[in-house]
């Protein structure tokens, strides 16, 4: 597995809004339509769980279906 995405302030804010949920790490290549665009399953790098207080738990789970885009 590659190094998990670094937890940044935007992710922490997302976590505060999703207590008990997940913060999804999306490959920017697949997010061409912006944050509200539909992301295919292969565009999700993985997830960080969020505790009941809205804090990211640093236990990254890689998506086995993630497909890294090929550079041209």
């Amino acid at each position: 597995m590659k190094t998990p995405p670094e937890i940044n302030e935007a992710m922490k804010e997302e976590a505060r809004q999703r207590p008990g949920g997940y913060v999804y790490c999306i490959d920017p290549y697949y997010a061409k339509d912006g944050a509200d665009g539909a992301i295919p399953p292969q565009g999700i790098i993985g997830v960080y769980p969020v505790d009941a207080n809205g804090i990211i738990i640093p236990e990254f789970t890689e998506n086995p279906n993630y497909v890294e885009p090929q550079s041209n």
Side-chain angles (χ1 to χ4, degrees):
M1 177 175 96
K2 295 170 68 173
T3 304
E6 185 175 326
I7 298 170
N8 60 39
E9 288 303 316
M11 293 165 73
K12 290 177 184 179
E13 177 59 32
E14 181 79 16
R16 285 189 281 276
Q17 297 175 29
R18 302 185 185 287
Y22 295 92
V23 171
Y24 288 80
C25 300
I26 307 297
D27 187 309
Y29 174 85
Y30 292 97
K32 293 178 181 176
D33 295 330
D36 295 329
I39 305 296
Q42 69 269 20
I44 301 168
I45 300 167
V47 299
Y48 281 106
V50 178
D51 72 14
N53 296 312
I55 306 291
I56 293 176
I57 300 168
E59 296 175 2
F60 184 74
T61 300
E62 187 175 12
N63 175 10
N65 298 315
Y66 170 63
V67 177
E68 189 169 352
Q70 301 297 315
S71 37
N72 293 333

